[in-house]
Amino acid sequence: MGASDDANVAEVALLDRFPDDGWVRARRWSPSQGMVNAIYGLIGAICPGRSDGAPADKSVYDAVFVQMVQTFPYMSRLARMGLPWIIRVLDWSPIWRFEGVVRLQSLPPEQGSAVLDRVASSRFALLRTFVTAARAAVLTAYFDLPVVHDALGYDPVGFMRERIALRRRLEAGKVSEQTDLLQPSPQTLLAAAVDKS
Amino acid sequence: MILNHRDYRADSHFDAEVVVVGTGAGGAAIGAMLAELGVDVLFVEEGGHHPTSSFNPYLAESMPRLWRDAGTSVILGRSTFLYAEGRCVGGSTVINGAMTYRAPEEVLQSWHAQVRDDSLGPAAMESWFERAEQDISAKLHRDIAVGGDNRIMALGAERAGWHHEKNRRNHIDCVGSNNCILGCVTGAKQSTLVSYMPRALGAGARCLTEVRARRLLIERGRCVGVEGRVVDPRTLKPTGRIRVRAQAVVLACGAVQTPHLLLQHRVARRSGQLGRNFVTHPNVKVLAIYPHEIGGWRGLSQWGQVRQFHEEGIILAENMGPSGAVAAALPFHGRAIWQRMKHYNNMVLSGVLVEDSNTGRIYRGPFDTAVPVYSITQADLRQFLRATRLLCGMHFDMGAERVILPFTRLHELTSADQIALIDESRIKISDLELFTPHLMGSVRLGGDERDSVVNPDHEVWDLPGCYVSDASVFPTAIGVNPQVTIMAMALRAGERLAARVLARRRAA
């Protein structure tokens, strides 16, 4: 970053991944091999499987893992202390739930997912919170991947480039046009509403 | 001038007339006011300086850069929940939804009566609100910024006969790129990063970034500066020490970190109110899936608010976010999460905000951590259940196929006939999935040392030279988005502080 005389260096975003604004990223968390296996077990159980067009190959799971260990050092101290513990508790959940003698990491993803479903509906709020935390850690990373964006039909970068260009036009004194309006229109939305008549 | 970790020695010393800790709504506004009146101002900011050019829509890399704790900060209580706070130059104004609602008149009247200071009444505050709104360009939006989810809420409210108020937001030519929570990519949102901070820096202020304030420097009972630690960006561990000496120290670190910093100095002993009266304006998310495309991620994050129930303490509004944020808020995983998320283009994320009926407290935990504790009440729970029923009814009326609920015991409804299940499911407080970006109170302002922490000039009663300028000074909850009220109060406090500092300079 270095010394700068101006807080507003540029008007618009370049939309680059890992932008070079001089900010130094923290070293990734380096979990033990046992913890790595447990994390991959959770990723498999929490991410969607291959069904229905969901991206689910090894490179996707590796990318989720990398995002998780990159984010970990920035988490609150409570989260940094708690997350490894939560991962272990959930990894051992098939055993302490007396559902089998193998850990989550050894189960096929569908079975692991089903075990987590049951933990998530536990009568103990703490256990439900564990699943919520694990889901948030994994799904934030999974649904942030460009390959998943593509599968969802979600193109934030393309849309933002279009909007940045529109704002530049407005700043240059041009007026907006009908085509700049976002769809669907109110008429379309009302047509789909429940007919009260 | 903005400095960062590369610019500091192991032990760096700075002098200024006023040091402002924090660059969000309260810190940047008061700092700009002081600097433009000729005061030598130095900001200390824990986060980095990330200009508009660096913003992007990727959640997992933007949150560590811009959000405190990468968005994992929690409030403990009967329902443990996450809170959002910015940690960067611009603070929470970089990641907020840009709403510019003033504290309601009845709230200002109650503050006036409580504090017994005429300058806090609605009439006296009017000019400060106007000035803040002008500084950050608070206004309504053009139609080109309005997206499908915005329209659903407005049309749904109209069909239900509810009063829907369009938001005034701080922006210049917002075109609805909807990246508010990860930094505005068009530069339209007038966060303090692009409004007050450039003005302050232009007037000669300096800003030390990547420095965490650790303690106040106190000599003979007077606050004379602040000591901080430079954080090594690779290890995130404190390394060098920074000491700033100043005539006045302004704390503007927010309603969690400001009391956390003050708590180690045993101030406000007469009232015992430091850290208390913490309010959170909690909210829950209600997500509707429609059978047709909405494109909620295109367009404003929030166009308006349903204000029909505001007097009862309830606000309803839309607030669509990036796919990663939406997925993390849903009570599903595995195949079930994909079955919902594949309809991301058909989703409307709406929410319920409930005005606090309880207060919490900030504690100082081990390892220099702040521990916020807060629980909602049974009355709040009833408000959330009622508001959720209302939102579900509205979405089904607008044609939604299913609505995903914020309860761990009841996840989803697929028709209006099922709304009764919300009452039948015996939802408890611990079943609510709460969230909040609106943290207030905890360093209450008042007219009497026996029931408050700071005086009407925002100076800590028993620590001369130490001022507070953020939402922590609010005497009570305000029930609306706090940004403009923080700024208006900061400008008011800034004018008073500048007069003192400049008088002292002249006397010297």
Side-chain angles (χ1 to χ4, degrees):
Chain A
M1 198 176 321
S4 163
D5 290 330
D6 187 354
N8 189 17
V9 174
E11 278 188 327
V12 297
L14 304 172
L15 301 174
D16 293 339
R17 194 124 209 184
F18 303 112
D20 181 18
D21 62 351
W23 190 64
V24 178
R25 277 190 297 158
R27 285 192 199 117
R28 294 173 185 177
W29 176 36
S30 302
S32 65
Q33 189 55 47
M35 179 60 77
V36 169
N37 295 341
I39 293 172
Y40 270 95
L42 267 182
I43 291 173
I46 290 175
C47 287
R50 272 179 209 284
S51 67
D52 222 2
D57 58 34
K58 186 174 179 305
S59 67
V60 169
Y61 289 177
D62 288 344
V64 171
F65 176 81
V66 169
Q67 296 268 41
M68 286 176 69
V69 294
Q70 265 174 355
T71 306
F72 184 83
Y74 295 99
M75 292 180 176
S76 64
R77 187 175 287 270
L78 187 67
R80 275 182 284 140
M81 288 191 302
L83 191 58
W85 204 71
I86 289 171
I87 291 168
R88 284 196 190 95
V89 169
L90 295 179
D91 188 36
W92 285 82
S93 59
I95 295 170
W96 55 256
R97 284 186 58 81
F98 304 109
E99 294 189 14
V101 289
V102 291
R103 288 192 269 167
L104 197 78
Q105 58 182 275
S106 305
L107 291 176
E110 296 78 20
Q111 282 183 36
S113 192
V115 172
L116 289 185
D117 270 337
R118 291 188 282 276
V119 179
S121 56
S122 161
R123 63 196 173 98
F124 298 110
L126 187 66
L127 289 174
R128 298 201 299 269
T129 304
F130 282 6
V131 179
T132 303
R135 276 179 188 149
V138 172
L139 294 177
T140 301
Y142 178 80
F143 282 98
D144 201 43
L145 298 174
V147 64
V148 179
H149 289 179
D150 291 346
L152 293 175
Y154 170 48
D155 176 22
V157 171
F159 172 68
M160 285 173 192
R161 287 201 195 290
E162 181 194 301
R163 291 279 120 178
I164 287 170
L166 169 59
R167 186 163 184 271
R168 284 216 159 125
R169 268 173 33 220
L170 297 175
E171 282 178 323
K174 303 223 168 85
V175 291
S176 59
E177 295 164 12
Q178 196 67 21
T179 51
D180 295 322
L181 291 173
L182 295 166
Q183 297 301 319
S185 68
Q187 294 75 21
T188 310
L189 294 171
L190 277 175
V194 174
D195 185 358
K196 281 184 174 171
S197 61
Chain B
M1 182 172 67
I2 299 176
L3 304 179
N4 70 11
H5 66 274
R6 294 190 184 95
D7 303 313
Y8 310 128
R9 295 190 306 275
D11 206 348
S12 300
H13 293 254
F14 295 88
D15 288 295
E17 284 180 312
V18 177
V19 55
V20 180
V21 185
T23 58
I30 196 170
M33 159 74 97
L34 290 164
E36 290 181 340
L37 288 172
V39 176
D40 175 24
V41 174
L42 188 144
F43 292 97
V44 173
E45 168 57 52
E46 186 181 356
H49 172 232
H50 304 289
T52 299
S53 59
S54 69
F55 295 153
N56 68 30
Y58 302 109
L59 196 75
E61 70 180 72
S62 295
M63 289 184 77
R65 297 158 66 84
L66 305 174
W67 289 51
R68 177 174 298 285
D69 302 331
T72 63
S73 308
V74 293
I75 294 171
L76 304 178
R78 290 177 69 187
S79 173
T80 296
F81 59 106
L82 294 171
Y83 67 90
E85 208 174 52
R87 183 168 57 189
C88 55
V89 174
S92 296
T93 67
V94 172
I95 62 162
N96 71 7
M99 263 55 78
T100 60
Y101 282 96
R102 297 179 180 190
E105 187 166 328
E106 60 274 17
V107 170
L108 294 175
Q109 275 166 352
S110 80
W111 288 5
H112 182 208
Q114 205 173 319
V115 179
R116 296 177 293 281
D117 186 303
D118 286 342
S119 68
L120 270 178
M125 285 299 293
E126 175 72 23
S127 61
W128 295 119
F129 278 116
E130 279 179 9
R131 186 161 168 181
E133 288 162 355
Q134 195 175 348
D135 287 344
I136 59 170
S137 192
K139 54 176 173 292
L140 296 171
H141 282 271
R142 304 182 200 208
D143 279 354
I144 49 168
V146 180
D149 62 327
N150 308 134
R151 292 199 178 100
I152 285 273
M153 284 299 289
L155 293 168
E158 190 183 328
R159 281 166 63 95
W162 298 339
H163 169 55
H164 180 265
E165 189 172 322
K166 302 288 184 294
N167 293 331
R168 292 174 80 213
R169 298 169 78 242
N170 49 319
H171 72 101
I172 297 173
D173 286 332
C174 172
V175 286
S177 59
N178 201 354
N179 204 51
C180 295
I181 66 165
L182 302 179
C184 179
V185 294
T186 65
K189 182 169 82 170
Q190 295 300 290
S191 68
T192 61
L193 173 70
V194 298
S195 55
Y196 281 117
M197 284 306 288
R199 281 174 51 179
L201 297 167
R206 294 161 287 162
C207 183
L208 312 182
T209 64
E210 299 175 72
V211 175
R212 177 170 169 80
R214 295 291 291 270
R215 68 184 185 95
L216 301 171
L217 302 176
I218 298 172
E219 291 176 4
R220 289 188 289 279
R222 184 176 179 84
C223 185
V224 295
V226 65
E227 183 180 296
R229 287 301 185 107
V230 181
V231 178
D232 183 313
R234 289 211 182 278
T235 62
L236 299 179
K237 294 207 161 51
T239 53
R241 191 175 63 164
I242 299 267
R243 286 167 80 94
V244 184
R245 290 186 69 85
Q247 286 175 35
V249 175
V250 179
L251 300 181
C253 325
V256 175
Q257 298 299 324
T258 290
H260 172 68
L261 190 54
L262 284 170
L263 274 166
Q264 64 182 305
H265 296 291
R266 302 180 64 199
V267 298
R269 274 174 283 179
R270 282 201 73 187
S271 70
Q273 293 298 309
L274 178 60
R276 295 177 186 267
N277 311 302
F278 174 60
V279 288
T280 69
H281 203 202
N283 69 68
V284 296
K285 306 290 182 206
V286 176
L287 188 134
I289 301 179
Y290 284 76
H292 51 82
E293 183 165 329
I294 304 287
W297 52 274
R298 297 187 294 260
L300 291 168
S301 64
Q302 195 180 100
W303 188 26
Q305 295 181 347
V306 174
R307 294 243 155 184
Q308 182 74 20
F309 315 100
H310 189 216
E311 286 185 5
E312 300 160 58
I314 294 173
I315 293 174
L316 311 176
E318 76 279 10
N319 202 345
M320 194 64 176
S323 55
V326 172
L330 298 187
F332 303 106
H333 58 259
R335 188 170 294 179
I337 188 75
W338 188 257
Q339 280 168 355
R340 275 78 179 180
M341 283 302 296
K342 70 181 181 183
H343 302 295
Y344 179 63
N345 273 310
N346 299 8
M347 288 178 172
V348 174
L349 186 62
S350 52
V352 175
L353 287 110
V354 167
E355 191 168 340
D356 306 72
S357 67
N358 196 11
T359 61
R361 190 169 173 183
I362 308 298
Y363 294 91
R364 233 187 122 73
F367 311 114
D368 191 29
T369 49
V371 182
V373 176
Y374 176 93
S375 289
I376 65 164
T377 63
Q378 287 297 330
D380 298 333
L381 175 64
R382 285 193 292 275
Q383 294 275 65
F384 277 117
L385 296 179
R386 174 168 177 243
T388 303
R389 286 196 305 268
L390 291 167
L391 263 181
C392 289
M394 190 213 78
H395 282 303
F396 284 123
D397 180 53
M398 285 301 293
E401 275 185 335
R402 61 179 68 214
V403 177
I404 299 172
L405 302 168
F407 312 130
T408 55
R409 282 172 188 271
L410 180 64
H411 293 161
E412 197 167 42
L413 305 178
T414 52
S415 75
D417 300 338
Q418 294 181 335
I419 292 175
L421 288 175
I422 293 175
D423 286 332
E424 292 163 13
S425 299
R426 298 186 179 185
I427 308 288
K428 295 185 294 190
I429 288 174
S430 60
D431 297 327
L432 278 186
E433 293 172 347
L434 297 163
F435 174 75
T436 182
H438 301 163
L439 309 166
M440 298 168 273
S442 74
V443 185
R444 176 193 268 177
L445 181 147
D448 190 327
E449 190 177 358
R450 289 167 300 182
D451 64 12
S452 58
V453 182
V454 298
N455 65 28
D457 288 340
H458 290 228
E459 188 173 24
V460 177
W461 282 109
D462 51 358
L463 186 57
C466 182
Y467 296 78
V468 177
S469 174
D470 56 37
S472 66
V473 300
F474 290 1
T476 61
I478 64 171
V480 294
N481 312 62
Q483 170 176 245
V484 157
T485 308
I486 299 170
M487 290 172 174
M489 290 185 74
L491 295 176
R492 173 185 162 278
E495 189 183 64
R496 292 172 173 214
L497 178 56
R500 282 188 186 196
V501 173
L502 294 173
R504 189 168 163 177
R505 188 197 292 173
R506 281 193 294 274

